[in-house]
Amino acid sequence: MPADRHLLVDAMNVIHAWPELRGALAKHGPDAARSQLAEILRPIHDIEGWRVTIVLDGSGDELRVERPGKELTFSYVFGPKGLSADGIIEQLVGNATLPPTEDRRSRKKKDPDAEIVVATRDNLLSEATAANGARLMTPDFLREWAKDAAARQERDVLARQRKAANQWHAGASPWEKLPKLPK
């Protein structure tokens, strides 16, 4: 998976924007809401091929990265005490190398297809990251993108299942390959 397309999610901002996640937060706590958010965003990673980083405020002494799966391209990032999730997102975008465009500051061109998208409804974070070249996405648009990716994933799985079933039915019976018994 190319790491040149990176989705940074302001987790608590998105959790509070989506009623089902806000309910999970109130009823089951932040870990449950975070897990549901990751589950919803997983098709954007798996099907669309985006690196997904879900950024949260932390409470430890240093930055902490957790991965809910084996992939290095799907992560939770927790900031250290005193650095908000917004601050981490700003730093990640500010330190990234993006291709220059009319809207972006001039930077060394690393990959013409490189892209960073920040999902938040926080106006200050939006302004700061857009000034550094990131594209912005509202939580509502993020939800639609995730739904579309999940629907595409389901269609792909069903198509593969149909293809496998057709190949299996079209093939010779395994019983035909057994040696014939003498009469």
Side-chain angles (χ1 to χ4, degrees), residues 6-159:
H6 195 165
L7 172 62
L8 295 166
V9 180
D10 183 357
M12 292 309 289
N13 192 283
V14 171
I15 287 169
H16 284 285
W18 293 358
E20 68 276 16
L21 296 181
R22 198 170 46 241
L25 177 65
K27 199 174 218 180
H28 304 290
D31 290 344
R34 179 185 74 204
S35 293
Q36 285 184 20
L37 176 61
E39 186 177 318
I40 292 167
L41 298 179
R42 176 60 74 172
I44 292 172
H45 174 271
D46 294 348
I47 295 298
E48 303 287 334
W50 282 70
R51 172 184 292 268
V52 175
T53 303
I54 300 170
V55 185
L56 299 112
D57 295 332
S59 59
D61 291 332
E62 52 191 49
L63 187 81
R64 189 174 90 236
V65 177
E66 290 181 11
R67 295 193 171 81
K70 294 179 274 185
E71 305 91 353
L72 298 176
T73 54
F74 194 98
S75 306
Y76 299 124
V77 174
F78 298 88
K81 185 174 23 184
L83 181 61
S84 69
D86 295 1
I88 294 166
I89 293 170
E90 287 178 33
Q91 287 183 21
L92 288 169
V93 172
N95 291 328
T97 302
L98 294 170
T101 66
E102 302 162 13
D103 303 321
R104 296 181 177 153
R105 295 186 302 182
S106 178
R107 297 179 180 209
K108 285 171 55 177
K109 195 168 190 175
K110 186 175 188 180
D111 182 344
D113 297 323
E115 183 174 11
I116 294 178
V117 173
V118 175
T120 188
R121 65 177 179 185
D122 181 305
N123 290 335
L124 290 175
L125 178 60
S126 295
E127 289 177 21
T129 55
N132 280 312
R135 285 190 325 135
L136 305 173
M137 180 177 293
T138 65
D140 291 337
F141 191 83
L142 177 62
R143 181 197 326 254
E144 291 306 312
W145 184 20
K147 282 181 183 177
D148 290 346
R152 182 172 156 212
Q153 183 177 37
E154 187 174 339
R155 284 191 308 272
D156 288 354
V157 167
L158 292 173

